[in-house]
Amino acid sequence: MKIQMVDLLGQYQKIKPEIDAAMQNVIDSSTFIKGPKVTEFELALANYLKVNHVVACGNGTDALQIALMALGLERGDEVIIPTFTYVATAEVIALLGLTPILVDVNPDTFCIDVNQIESKISSRSKAIIPVHLFGQSADMESILLLAKKFNLYVIEDNAQAIGARYTFSYGAVKYTGTMGDIGTTSFFPSKNLGCFGDGGAITTDNTELAEKIRMICNHGQKVQYHHDCIGVNSRLDSIQAAILLVKLPYLDEYNLARQSAAINYNELLKDLNEVVCPAKDVQSTHVYHQYTLKLKGSLGSKRNQLRGYLKENGIPTMVYYPLPLHLQNAYKSWCSNVDEFPVANQLSNQVISFPMHTQLDEMIQSYIVKHLKEFCRN
Ligand SMILES: *Cc1c(COP(=O)(O)O)cnc(C)c1O
């Protein structure tokens, strides 16, 4: 049996009749763009997330860009982001001529280190983009307090954590992506809620912002051929929306399957001193978009050999992410002092992600861990 990082085919096969019928319906109706399925999906997702508005768009990167455009940020305005993240967050800031302010991350949760945000706030700071990395929420309670104190917008990059829930100390429970001013997500096939191509969405409780976002997604128009602001062309197509409508009711089940797989990995790895299993923030559920270990001590310096050994045994692994933003060729000019980010520097050398998906079975997990342990013993 072939071991995969993600098993999209296995997941599809379980719901193939439903998916195939939904796709065929769109083809038969020929409403490929802006069809009724898109609106239906937006409403279904809003209902699931308990948020007032969902605007579907082309992908998760567009979602971030459109969110920043909707907030009316101007050239030179500063946006605070974690340096240990996927590149999309940085890219859109650069494209819009905004100034990114990088912050190191928490060594346990890998999310932005809230204790280091305040010292980075200036009179030009306008927004914070926490990334709910690998499937659990950033420390939103602290972030929202800071945002309130310094009058900053909060855009949650929820591409990796859809379906995760966050509990505030006063008891309220919210889905990730619905706590800040705007949330953005991606339906890239391997994400926790994936479609069969590109897709994304923007969430907000603010009706005025939602209207602006919808306009920007559609060339800045509300009335056809009347363009009131600069927009983009970013839409979810109807076939993707129809697929997502079928898959959304399975999202909780999918996330539970990921959680069981994570619990099983944790159990199998509990006696192995050379690795640190993913830490779980007490206020957030974890939907394990990735199962990411930290390699300790001498194993850390043998990451490549370990990956090679596992690969020889048919076990794929990935490194998310081998370089933090401040060390990327495209973005290193944003960083004047590499030593400012000791945690991200260390994590990028230390992390390894294991196969994690909805179809992972315990025998495969045992096989993977057996080989990890073998490598450690030799
Ligand atoms: C996947 C991802 C994105 C971008 O989503 P696309 O749909 O691929 O454009 C943005 N941010 C994070 C953290 C992601 O993981």
Side-chain angles (χ1 to χ4, degrees):
M1 187 191 280
K2 192 173 174 323
I3 303 176
Q4 304 175 84
M5 282 301 288
V6 176
D7 182 5
L8 297 179
L9 185 61
Q11 191 188 60
Y12 163 61
Q13 277 162 345
K14 292 218 152 160
I15 52 170
K16 179 171 161 37
E18 278 180 273
I19 293 269
D20 291 1
M23 289 173 70
Q24 191 61 51
N25 277 341
V26 175
I27 296 169
D28 291 339
S29 74
S30 293
T31 51
F32 297 112
I33 300 288
K34 293 188 187 302
K37 287 290 162 194
V38 178
T39 313
E40 207 182 307
F41 172 66
E42 288 177 340
L43 293 173
L45 185 59
N47 187 45
Y48 173 88
L49 292 173
K50 300 183 172 56
V51 68
N52 289 344
H53 306 278
V54 170
V55 180
C57 67
N59 56 65
T61 308
D62 279 2
L64 284 164
Q65 179 177 335
I66 292 159
L68 287 167
M69 290 170 76
L71 293 173
L73 301 196
E74 287 170 11
R75 255 168 203 283
D77 284 349
E78 292 177 358
V79 181
I80 295 166
I81 60 173
T83 188
F84 189 67
T85 183
Y86 183 58
V87 70
T89 327
E91 210 164 56
V92 298
I93 290 173
L95 284 171
L96 294 173
L98 304 170
T99 304
I101 302 295
L102 302 177
V103 175
D104 207 358
V105 294
N106 177 302
D108 301 316
T109 64
F110 312 140
C111 291
I112 192 165
D113 183 351
V114 293
N115 296 317
Q116 297 190 45
I117 294 176
E118 186 158 350
S119 65
K120 302 261 180 163
I121 293 174
S122 80
S123 59
R124 301 232 53 181
S125 305
K126 289 289 158 61
I128 307 179
I129 308 184
V131 180
H132 303 314
L133 204 71
F134 301 155
Q136 73 183 329
S137 180
D139 178 353
M140 286 304 292
E141 190 150 353
S142 305
I143 290 168
L144 292 173
L145 282 172
L146 281 169
K148 196 164 181 189
K149 183 168 166 198
F150 293 99
N151 201 20
L152 306 174
Y153 293 114
V154 176
I155 299 172
E156 299 173 66
D157 183 343
N158 194 30
Q160 300 190 0
I162 195 162
R165 287 181 311 271
Y166 183 84
T167 305
F168 288 84
S169 56
Y170 55 88
V173 180
K174 288 225 163 199
Y175 279 101
T176 52
T178 69
M179 296 175 271
D181 297 281
I182 302 181
T184 64
T185 197
S186 164
F187 307 119
F188 186 81
S190 62
K191 298 280 156 91
N192 288 37
L193 178 62
C195 61
F196 288 10
D198 275 312
I202 305 157
T203 48
T204 184
D205 276 327
N206 180 321
T207 302
E208 219 174 293
L209 265 180
E211 266 179 34
K212 187 92 193 280
I213 288 165
R214 205 172 277 290
M215 245 169 89
I216 293 171
C217 287
N218 186 26
H219 297 292
Q221 63 190 343
K222 256 191 243 171
V223 179
Q224 202 174 20
Y225 305 125
H226 292 70
H227 306 276
D228 298 325
C229 66
I230 297 174
V232 295
N233 173 22
S234 185
R235 49 203 174 203
L236 184 72
D237 68 67
S238 302
I239 288 184
Q240 303 307 338
I243 291 165
L244 289 165
L245 269 167
V246 172
K247 289 184 76 177
L248 180 59
Y250 295 101
L251 177 58
D252 286 343
E253 191 183 313
Y254 290 159
N255 284 341
L256 277 172
R258 289 171 179 275
Q259 284 162 354
S260 317
I263 289 168
N264 191 42
Y265 270 135
N266 291 346
E267 185 60 30
L268 292 167
L269 290 166
K270 70 169 191 261
D271 305 320
L272 192 65
N273 292 322
E274 289 90 340
V275 302
V276 182
C277 293
K280 221 190 84 26
D281 187 290
V282 286
Q283 284 177 275
S284 178
T285 61
H286 198 322
V287 294
Y288 296 98
H289 176 59
Q290 299 299 343
Y291 185 84
T292 301
L293 297 168
K294 290 194 286 190
L295 303 178
K296 281 204 296 198
S298 64
L299 189 59
S301 53
K302 285 190 245 159
R303 185 173 64 182
N304 278 340
Q305 290 101 300
L306 169 64
R307 293 189 69 200
Y309 178 76
L310 294 174
K311 191 170 171 205
E312 276 164 31
N313 287 283
I315 301 164
T317 57
M318 290 291 282
V319 171
Y320 302 111
Y321 296 95
L323 289 177
L325 294 177
H326 65 269
L327 296 180
Q328 299 285 356
N329 283 334
Y331 302 107
K332 59 189 176 198
S333 63
W334 292 352
C335 163
S336 53
N337 177 8
V338 174
D339 298 331
E340 237 188 294
F341 309 103
V343 176
N345 291 339
Q346 189 179 356
L347 286 178
S348 54
N349 289 316
Q350 196 185 19
V351 289
I352 185 167
S353 298
F354 273 14
M356 172 50 78
H357 53 80
T358 58
Q359 314 305 120
L360 200 57
D361 76 52
E362 295 193 0
M363 268 172 42
I364 290 182
Q365 293 187 280
S366 299
Y367 175 87
I368 294 169
V369 172
K370 186 181 96 168
H371 282 87
L372 169 62
K373 288 182 173 168
E374 255 171 42
F375 182 86
C376 292
R377 273 199 302 274
N378 293 328

